Structures are given as C-alpha cells and as structure tokens.
Amino acid sequence: MTFQQRLILLVSGLVVLAVLAVTAVLAWTTHGALSSRTETDARMAAGLLARAAAQARDIPQEVEALLGERLLSEATLTAHLVAVAETAKLAPKPLNDRLKQIAEQGGPEEMWITDNRGRAYLHNLSGPDPLFGQDSKTAPRHAAYTGLLTRAPASLVSEAAVEGGKLMKFAGVAGVDKPRIVQVGADVRRLADIAKKAGADGLIDALLGTRAVEAAWLLDRDGRVVARGAVIGESGGGPLSEFGTETAKAVATAGGDVRVVADGDSLLALAPIRAAGTAAGGQGAAAVPAIAVVRLPGNEPAVLLHRQLKIAGLLGVLVLGAGIYAAIRFARNQMDPVERLSEAVKAVEAGRFNPFTLNEATARDDEFGRLSRVFRNMAMEATAREETLDSQLLLRNVELESKTEKLAIAEHILEEEQRVARDVQANLLPRQLPVGRDSQFFGALIPAHAVSGDFYDVIELDETTTLLVAAGVSGGGVPAAFLMLMVRGAIRELARPGISPAAILVGANDRLCDESPFNGFATAFIAVYDRTSGSLRHAAAGHRGACRVQSDGTVEPLTETGGPALGVRKGAPYAEAAATLQQDDSLFLCTEGVLRSADAQRVPFGEERLIALLQQSRGMSARDRAELVLRSVQAHAGPEGVAGDLVCLVLRRLLPVAETAEAV
C-alpha cells in the first residue's frame, strides 16, 4: 500500500471518528446547555420582572426630581438673563416681551421675577403684578418663596400641584444681582402618563413583547393576581395552575432567591419582590405585588436537541464526503510540489541551491506554484544581497566617519561662538557699582550654557542721579551678544542728566528697529534714581520682574507702565511712572530667566514665588537679597531647568530722605 493510499485511509477514518465523537458530545452538551439556558432565562425573566415591579413606584418620583433640577437650571438662567438685561438698562416692557417669546419657543410655561419687596413686576403672563409674601392661605405658592429675598434658602422646588386646571410644578432661586425672587413653572401632566407606562401592566407587556416567555403574573402574598399577561395564540395563554399558586405563596412567605420549578410541560420561575415586603401586615397589603411569576415552555430543550441532531447528521455526511475527497486530492496533487519545496529549503540551508530544480513546481498555476516562484525569487535575491552587504557596510562606515568629523567641527564652532558671546557679555557689565552712605547697589549675572544676552547696567548721570538698567535679549549665541551691544550702546548714548526713562526707551527702540541685522527683540526696565530725594522714575519695554520692596516687607510690582519690547515696532510710545524709596526700601530688578526657570514638572519659578521670596528678605542687604533669589531659582529649577541667563540688580536706600536732604 502506497503512502498516498495510507494517507487517504487515515484521513477518512479520522473524519468518521471525528464526526461521530462530535455528534455524541454535541448531543450530550446541547441538551444540558439548552436546559441550563432555559432555566437561566426563566430566572433572569422572573428576577427582572421582580426588580422592575419593585422600582416601578420610584420612577415617577425620580422623573419629577429631574424635572425639578431642570426648573432650577432654567430659573438660574432667567435670573442671569434679567440681571444682564437690567445692567443694559432694558425697560420692563421689552423684557416682558422677551420672556413671553422664550415661553412660546419652548421655555418654561410661567416666569415670575420680583423686585426687592416681592412684587412680580416681570412675568410672561398677562395680568396684575402679584406680591410674593402675602398670606399663605390666599397665595400659598407665592408665600412659600418669600425666603428667597433673604437667600434663606437660595433656591426652592415645590411639589407638583393642580393650579388653573393644570398640573404645575414651580422652582425658584434668589437674584444674582440684588435681592429678588426668580420663579419658573412647567406643566407636568406627562408625569401621570409616565407612572402608567412604568406600572405593573406596562412591565408585563414589555416582558411579553420579547417573546421569551409564555405568560407572566404579579401576585400578592395571598396568591391573588395583581397583574397578568400572556402571549396570544400560545399554549401559555392559560391561567396559573393551582400548584403554581401554592408555590408562589410559599416563595412569598419564605423569601430568598429566584426559584424554578417544573409544572407539567412548562417551567415556572418565581422571584419574591423584596421592596413589596414593607407593606406586609398593613392595610391593603394584599393588593401589593409580593411575587413575580413567569412561565416558559419546558419541552423546548428536547425540540431543539432533535433539530440539532438532524442538522449534525447531515453535516456529518457532508464533512465525511468532503474529507475523503480532500484527502485524495491532497495526496495525488499536492505532495509532489511540497516535497520539491522541502528539498529546495534544505539546499538553501546548505548553500547549494539550484533554481532549476523548481521548474516543474513553478509551472503550476495554483498556490504551490506561486509559492514555488516566490521562494525561488527570494532565494536568488538573498544570494545577491549577501554579495552586496559587505560593500554597503563599508560605504556606511565611511559615511559615518565623515559625518562624525563634521559634527565635531560644528560642535567646536558652536562652542567658540558661545565663548565669544559669553566674553562680550561679561566685559560689558559694570566693573564697579556706585558706593555711598545713602544707597547700596549690587548686581549679579549667572550665565546660561547657551548665552542669551541678558545684562544689567548702572550709570551715574551726575552727582545725585543714577540710571539703573536691566535688559534681556531674545535668542542666544553671537546674535544675542550683538543685540546686547546695540541695546547697551543705545541706552548709554542716550543717558544724560535730565532725560526721562521713556525717552531713552523710545530712542533705543528706534535704533534697534533701524540698525539691527537680526530678527530679534529685547526687553528692558530703566529707572532714574535721585539719591538725594529717593525719587524713582521708571519705564518698561515688555519687561517683568521689577519690584519695589518696602521696609515692612510689602512688595509692589513696577511693570504696570511702559510699552512693547524694543525692536518690535518703530515709533512705539512708552509711558513712565514715579515712586519714592524711603529708608530701607529697595528696588529689585531681574530678567526673564529668573521667572521662566522651571522645575522637573515644568512649573516656572514665576512672579508669585518671587514676590513671596522678596517678602521673606525683609532687612537684608542688597547683596544678600540678590543672592537669596539666585540660590532659590537654581534650587527650584536644577541644572537642567534654568531658562537662560539669571540677572539680578538690587538698589537699597540706607538713609531717610529728610536726613539726606539736610546733609546736602
């Protein structure tokens, strides 16, 4: 017997055994599964009916509560609408017309808005203006809302009641702009329809509509039917048997979980209604549903099993025939190309593949032919790729070495640019600050890894006047250093006795707009300080971080005046302001690097944290205050979070103004 014949017999025998085994297992498991499913469906249907009956009485109350919340929202919106309209000085008549329009287009049926005495001078209904707060006997609805005038309470929702032939529900809120009552009302007649649909009959009709059960009943504790339903034309249309009634009484008395019992050819599922148990023993308890009963056909598993066995037998015959045919076709037509492919795979692994050995297999027009052609092409491509891999690897190594050299040169150029920019920045800072017994100056700069061009300057205009500058330049490297030179040069060129800070900013801005070769800008804060009188005139160009720190620790920001950054718009105006430094008052200046430095969670240092730190520096010298801020910024941001250069300039007044004036 050949291999092909043995394979045919083996596959055929296995197919026969598989069909018989599958049929037997399916027959055994299907009957159990169908019985279990029928019982599960019965338990589920009875449980759902019981829970739905227990919750049916709560649905109208929940719907009414939701309606009350909606009315409160509409009352709040109406209160805001009236407040906005009266702020816009809209007269009562057009406002009344607008309220009528809102009611006609789907808003509340009634809207009443009072003044602070309770008179409803705004409403969408025609008629006189009622007075909220009258006798509760003559106007109970109005009297109940009187407390909203004093916001005790701030909102109120009343129960639905018949008024004017309608079932109305009202809600009100206190006024948002002044003491008033804002009341809205809606017709809630549909609540009765909802209660009817959510009742016992509605629940049973919905359950029967699924066609999953034959009949359903709701019984009280004495076995009397409260509600029932059955599928028309089915065998389940008959009444509940005496056995079912007695079983329902026992389950209602014992309680517990859902119980399933057989009743002839049907299954009965009985579920106690726990919420109905609270009425037991009271008057009218017999009319309260205490147990839910559903009836399902009990012979359905046998019918379905018989049907499934017929289908399984037919499928078994078809599968057996198809298996034998497939085995023959597979043995006769498919084994040859499989063997050839197997030999070709071994040849490829051994490195002696000959593509001509697959000529017969590649000539086929089926899947094995396509597979053979793809395999031959892949094997030939793999051989060709192996030959070119070494040369490509050498070329990649040469390219990598070349790019590495270029990267090293670029890094060297960048480091040189940073060094030059850092030297320019350091050489332009003032080497010595003014000294004297009336005032104390201190400035500090901590450069960033990539120079951003921030700087400070202190220029003595004459014996009593000093110019203080703190500026930051956009960008980094050589362009930032060049912009720093232009800004510093322009300010120093314009600095002379009698000139105002605003005039210096105007001149520096025009020069930067005209002469700068880079598309950059700078922020600056300039202050002219009179050492005799303690007066301080200042202006800002898009700059933050300038504060006056009083002797008692109060911090006053000084950047509310000024204009845009330098170099943004030529001819831009700049405003200035004045302040006076008393004894132990300080002027604190810093650049954006201090404020924008962020921690690991990207939270910037910020103005609030800076102001809190300056409040804690009460009584410190100018040096100690600047060093405290710089240390705090570095501790907050860490080495990786510093956003550019850190610049601080501090001026502290030492003597009182009166004493200084007398000494002069």
Side-chain angles (χ1 to χ4, degrees), residues 191-455:
L191 285 176
D193 299 335
I194 294 175
K196 182 177 179 181
K197 293 179 180 179
D201 293 334
L203 295 174
I204 293 177
D205 291 341
L207 181 61
L208 295 177
T210 63
R211 311 291 293 185
V213 299
E214 292 181 345
W217 296 268
L218 290 177
L219 308 179
D220 60 12
R221 290 185 174 274
D222 296 331
R224 289 189 292 269
V225 177
V226 177
R228 69 175 302 276
V231 179
I232 299 176
E234 300 288 344
S235 59
L240 182 63
S241 64
E242 184 178 352
F243 170 76
T245 303
E246 295 300 325
T247 306
K249 292 180 182 180
V251 173
T253 303
D257 296 330
V258 180
R259 182 177 175 184
V260 179
V261 297
D263 185 12
D265 293 336
S266 302
L267 285 180
L268 293 180
L270 305 97
I273 302 175
R274 292 181 174 84
T278 58
Q283 293 181 354
V288 177
I291 186 157
V293 182
V294 296
R295 183 165 63 194
L296 284 77
N299 59 350
E300 182 178 0
V303 174
L304 292 177
L305 177 60
H306 184 68
R307 185 185 307 165
Q308 292 296 328
L309 288 176
K310 288 183 179 179
I311 296 174
L314 179 60
L315 290 178
V317 173
L318 294 177
V319 170
L320 178 60
I324 295 174
Y325 176 78
I328 296 173
R329 293 287 299 174
F330 177 79
R332 292 180 178 179
N333 300 324
Q334 308 302 326
M335 292 302 297
D336 183 64
V338 171
E339 293 177 356
R340 292 184 180 275
L341 282 175
S342 177
E343 293 175 357
V345 170
K346 294 178 180 179
V348 170
E349 292 178 350
R352 51 182 177 79
F353 172 69
N354 183 1
F356 297 104
T357 59
L358 293 177
N359 286 344
E360 294 182 4
T362 55
R364 298 169 61 98
D365 59 354
D366 56 5
E367 290 80 358
F368 283 103
R370 291 194 294 271
L371 178 61
S372 300
R373 290 190 291 273
V374 171
F375 178 80
R376 185 175 64 177
N377 293 336
M378 291 176 59
M380 296 175 65
E381 290 177 1
T383 303
R385 288 178 181 176
E386 288 179 359
E387 296 175 354
T388 59
L389 277 178
D390 293 338
S391 59
Q392 291 180 355
L393 182 60
L394 292 176
L395 291 176
R396 294 293 184 272
N397 289 336
V398 173
E399 292 178 359
L400 181 60
E401 292 177 358
S402 176
K403 291 181 180 179
T404 302
E405 293 177 358
K406 292 180 181 179
L407 181 60
I409 295 173
E411 289 179 352
H412 177 72
I413 295 174
L414 180 60
E415 291 178 357
E416 185 65 20
E417 288 184 355
Q418 293 293 337
R419 185 189 63 78
V420 172
R422 192 175 291 108
D423 292 342
V424 171
Q425 185 181 31
N427 291 331
L428 292 181
L429 296 177
R431 300 185 180 276
Q432 184 176 0
L433 299 178
V435 296
R437 70 186 189 89
D438 58 354
S439 302
Q440 188 181 69
F441 297 85
F442 181 78
L445 181 144
I446 300 178
H449 176 71
V451 179
S452 58
D454 295 357
F455 71 96

Side-chain angles (χ1 to χ4, degrees), residues 375-564:
F375 178 80
R376 185 175 64 177
N377 293 336
M378 291 176 59
M380 296 175 65
E381 290 177 1
T383 303
R385 288 178 181 176
E386 288 179 359
E387 296 175 354
T388 59
L389 277 178
D390 293 338
S391 59
Q392 291 180 355
L393 182 60
L394 292 176
L395 291 176
R396 294 293 184 272
N397 289 336
V398 173
E399 292 178 359
L400 181 60
E401 292 177 358
S402 176
K403 291 181 180 179
T404 302
E405 293 177 358
K406 292 180 181 179
L407 181 60
I409 295 173
E411 289 179 352
H412 177 72
I413 295 174
L414 180 60
E415 291 178 357
E416 185 65 20
E417 288 184 355
Q418 293 293 337
R419 185 189 63 78
V420 172
R422 192 175 291 108
D423 292 342
V424 171
Q425 185 181 31
N427 291 331
L428 292 181
L429 296 177
R431 300 185 180 276
Q432 184 176 0
L433 299 178
V435 296
R437 70 186 189 89
D438 58 354
S439 302
Q440 188 181 69
F441 297 85
F442 181 78
L445 181 144
I446 300 178
H449 176 71
V451 179
S452 58
D454 295 357
F455 71 96
Y456 68 88
D457 203 355
V458 179
I459 306 170
E460 292 188 280
L461 301 179
D462 53 30
E463 295 180 355
T464 62
T465 308
T466 304
L467 182 70
L468 295 93
V469 181
V473 179
S474 64
V478 173
F482 184 83
L483 291 176
M484 172 186 172
L485 284 172
M486 291 191 64
V487 174
R488 180 180 180 275
I491 293 176
R492 279 188 166 265
E493 181 180 342
L494 295 169
R496 58 183 181 274
I499 192 169
S500 66
I504 295 177
L505 290 178
V506 171
N509 177 60
D510 292 342
R511 179 174 178 181
L512 193 62
C513 291
D514 292 335
E515 302 178 9
S516 174
F518 301 105
N519 187 18
F521 63 90
T523 64
F525 184 89
I526 296 181
V528 177
Y529 172 58
D530 190 328
R531 303 174 65 154
T532 302
S533 63
S535 64
L536 190 74
R537 290 183 297 153
H538 57 87
H543 192 86
R544 302 186 300 162
C547 303
R548 181 178 70 164
V549 185
Q550 299 180 12
S551 59
D552 60 356
T554 303
V555 179
E556 176 187 358
L558 298 178
T559 56
E560 69 279 359
T561 60

Side-chain angles (χ1 to χ4, degrees), residues 7 38 40 66 105 152 168 170 205 247 251 285 329 357 374 382 405 417 531 578 587 597 604 612 662:
L7 181 62
T38 302
T40 301
L66 291 175
Q105 295 180 355
M168 298 295 296
F170 291 90
D205 291 341
T247 306
V251 173
R329 293 287 299 174
T357 59
V374 171
E405 293 177 358
E417 288 184 355
R531 303 174 65 154
L587 173 66
S597 295
E662 292 175 0

